Amino acid sequence: MNRRQFLSATAAAAAIARAGGIASGAQAAAKKPTPVSDGIPPSRRRLLQLNGYAANAETPLDALTTYITPNDLFFVRSHWIPAYPSLKTWSLVVDGEVERPREWKLADIKALPRTTVTCVLQCSGNGRALHRPAIPGVQWRYGAVGNARWTGVRVKDLLARSGVRAGAKHLHTFGSDKPPEKVPPFHRSLELEKVLEDGVLAFEMNGETLPQPHGAPLRLIVPGWTGNHWMKWITHLSPQPEPQKGFYMDTAYRYPDKPGEPGVAFKPDEMHPVTELFVKSCFTDVPASAKVGSSVSVRGFAFSGAPDVSRVEVSEDQGQTWKDAVLDNQHDPWAWRLFTHRFTPSAPGPATLLARATDSRGAVQPKEAVWNQSGYLHNGWHAAEIAVTA
Ligand SMILES: Nc1nc2c(c(=O)[nH]1)N[C@H]1C(S)=C(S)[C@@H](COP(=O)(O)O)O[C@H]1N2
Ligand SMILES: [Mo]
């Protein structure tokens, strides 16, 4: 059913632009080609398109080697072909449990104090294809994740201009994309407490205008929480006493309170919304081959729903013993942490390396991910294979 094909990042961007209709004139004209200075070679600059409708494309692991994931290589997940808002008519409505409902134009939002957060965006379904028994849905493997620098305004600052009433507990969020007939809309809500604490409404990604596939002109950033909370093309925010209703709250994006054996499904009221990311690490840069006695370096990334990763370990013996990998110095709350490990093979034949991360709250990445009926948050140990010759 799924078409799988590699697209060069440029071709993927063009395909996404076509799928989404006409880019707004002003943005298209302003868009200059990004100078490529991140060191990722042209041969690795491509996305893996997982289905034809809408654009759902993941980043191959060998292109996720940098602390900041370049915009042209950042995975795209859209429920349906988006109607990109035109900047001329776009506005953001704030209503609901507020003293002063109001409508914002982008220029007024940009006049508020700015903030930049560097953090991971991961789709809750990343790794779905790795669960057994198999689970229907977009067959993400490893690359529905990236780490970016998001610039915008704090949700707290914007909502404060409307005066949020004490009874409000959930922020209802709406984007401009509309589903095909009879398909429920992607309407969401999340706890006000979290979004007032950490939420950002971003109009820039990695120092550029937020690209349209990633939610221009404005999207929600929820550091540490899964991508389904990160509403793109946002047009309406409404603080409310109760969570939003609808398919994408009551049925989808729920995780079992007490997961069962693989294959066991639960009713929605035995599940809760997916929120925090699970601790996870992946290898990204692994040589295909190595020689007995000469060391090679392997690299990867690790992240969690906790603000930091405290440790990444690598096993060279199927998980019997572990060695600490070296963590890069660069890190920010809820960003990923790159790691390096030097491996000196001692015998010829295929070698397997395993990675396991521990976060700043002490959660350890498990050997096997917990199977759940929607295939969310796969985080089992990642293996890297190296062919060792004498
Ligand atoms: N309006 C809108 N926002 C959305 C979505 C969508 O389909 N429509 N998809 C969500 C999901 S499930 C994910 S994982 C992220 C993906 O963001 P990206 O495409 O910028 O990587 O956007 C989220 N925000
Ligand atoms: Mo997602």
Side-chain angles (χ1 to χ4, degrees):
M1 203 178 80
N2 284 324
R3 219 155 42 97
R4 292 170 64 95
Q5 63 183 120
F6 279 103
L7 302 174
S8 76
T10 324
I16 290 159
R18 272 199 306 281
I22 310 118
S24 98
Q27 282 204 349
K31 188 136 178 79
K32 283 193 219 89
T34 318
V36 177
S37 57
D38 51 42
I40 300 170
S43 62
R44 290 189 183 180
R45 301 195 88 85
R46 72 263 190 250
L47 293 174
L48 175 58
Q49 166 79 355
L50 297 176
N51 61 351
Y53 174 92
N56 288 309
E58 71 173 67
T59 318
L61 280 177
D62 67 3
L64 291 175
T65 51
T66 50
Y67 183 63
I68 297 298
T69 310
N71 290 356
D72 66 327
L73 289 173
F74 208 96
F75 85 96
V76 177
R77 195 285 181 257
S78 299
H79 284 76
W80 27 79
I81 295 170
Y84 296 141
S86 139
L87 262 191
K88 286 212 178 80
T89 54
W90 182 89
S91 69
L92 171 66
V93 171
V94 176
D95 62 10
E97 290 296 310
V98 295
E99 302 295 341
R100 296 171 300 279
R102 68 171 282 183
E103 194 170 346
W104 292 84
K105 295 303 282 178
L106 193 60
D108 302 324
I109 294 174
K110 285 186 170 174
L112 292 173
R114 292 187 185 193
T115 188
T116 295
V117 290
T118 303
C119 63
V120 163
L121 165 53
Q122 182 188 230
C123 179
S124 50
N126 194 26
R128 180 178 292 122
L130 310 171
H131 282 287
R132 293 292 173 272
I135 297 162
V138 182
Q139 294 299 297
W140 303 113
R141 287 173 58 76
Y142 298 101
V145 63
N147 192 52
R149 205 165 269 141
W150 312 94
T151 298
V153 302
R154 286 181 190 84
V155 172
K156 183 175 65 182
D157 291 344
L158 183 124
L159 290 184
R161 303 301 198 276
S162 284
V164 179
R165 294 200 178 117
K169 296 282 180 260
H170 300 266
L171 182 63
H172 294 208
T173 61
F174 306 84
S176 65
D177 48 340
K178 299 260 181 321
E181 242 180 302
K182 289 187 187 153
V183 177
F186 186 70
H187 290 169
R188 299 272 317 156
S189 67
L190 73 165
E191 282 73 5
L192 252 183
E193 194 186 349
K194 169 68 183 177
V195 80
L196 288 180
E197 181 89 17
D198 302 315
V200 171
L201 290 159
F203 42 76
E204 280 178 19
M205 179 177 181
N206 296 331
E208 292 177 12
T209 303
L210 185 66
Q212 288 187 313
H214 297 295
L218 197 67
R219 84 171 303 169
L220 185 58
I221 306 304
V222 191
W225 283 25
T226 50
N228 48 297
H229 298 279
W230 296 44
M231 184 63 71
K232 301 197 276 192
W233 313 295
I234 203 156
T235 53
H236 182 187
L237 291 173
S238 191
Q240 295 287 342
E242 297 296 329
Q244 178 115 245
K245 291 194 178 353
F247 178 79
Y248 288 102
M249 292 302 295
D250 302 327
T251 307
Y253 298 119
R254 298 181 81 82
Y255 194 87
D257 297 332
K258 292 195 197 93
E261 291 297 304
V264 177
F266 293 91
K267 297 195 193 73
D269 66 359
E270 297 167 319
M271 301 194 285
H272 56 270
V274 182
T275 56
E276 283 188 6
L277 299 169
F278 290 178
V279 63
K280 179 172 182 177
S281 61
C282 282
F283 293 107
T284 55
D285 198 5
V286 180
S289 61
K291 272 193 158 55
V292 171
S294 27
S295 79
V296 291
S297 139
V298 296
R299 291 177 56 71
F301 60 73
F303 62 89
S304 181
D308 205 359
V309 162
S310 51
R311 187 177 199 191
V312 176
E313 297 158 288
V314 174
S315 177
E316 302 169 357
D317 56 7
Q318 301 292 340
Q320 292 176 60
T321 61
W322 295 86
K323 297 178 183 173
D324 276 315
V326 177
L327 300 182
D328 275 21
N329 288 333
Q330 225 174 350
H331 64 116
D332 294 275
W334 295 290
W336 67 25
R337 194 101 186 215
L338 301 184
F339 66 88
T340 308
H341 175 71
R342 287 206 78 83
F343 167 54
T344 308
S346 55
T352 304
L353 302 183
L354 297 169
R356 143 180 118 176
T358 302
D359 73 22
S360 52
R361 294 189 200 127
V364 184
Q365 184 180 358
K367 180 177 184 186
E368 307 273 355
V370 174
W371 190 94
N372 60 98
Q373 68 216 63
S374 301
Y376 294 143
L377 292 170
H378 189 285
N379 69 337
W381 295 347
H382 187 220
E385 312 289 338
I386 301 174
V388 179
T389 55

